[in-house]
Amino acid sequence: MHDLHRRAAEEHERAAHAHRTAAEHNEKGDNATGNWHSQRALEFSDRAHELAKEAHSKSGQVVSL
């Protein structure tokens, strides 16, 4: 379960970085590249969301070691 939380956090960080990069490109007028980075940010965010939901659903489960 901890691995799922860690992986979700990593995807959130990737999404944030892609958002910042998209903003930088859009500010420079490079909209095509900015749009590409925005799409990547959305993909990372979606993956983070799925991992977070999975981690949440498993967080209440008791597992034997």
Side-chain angles (χ1 to χ4, degrees):
M1 173 188 49
H2 295 290
D3 184 54
L4 287 172
H5 287 289
R6 181 189 53 76
R7 288 174 38 212
E10 289 171 354
E11 292 297 318
H12 280 296
E13 290 171 4
R14 287 183 183 113
H17 183 265
H19 277 293
R20 287 189 298 270
T21 303
E24 291 170 8
H25 284 283
N26 284 329
E27 287 173 2
K28 294 176 183 176
D30 186 1
N31 293 328
T33 304
N35 290 342
W36 184 85
H37 283 285
S38 292
Q39 182 61 39
R40 295 291 291 159
L42 178 60
E43 292 167 9
F44 291 137
S45 292
D46 287 345
R47 181 69 181 140
H49 178 71
E50 291 303 316
L51 289 167
K53 284 193 321 185
E54 186 179 350
H56 177 72
S57 71
K58 291 182 177 181
S59 66
Q61 296 176 4
V62 176
V63 295
S64 59
L65 299 176

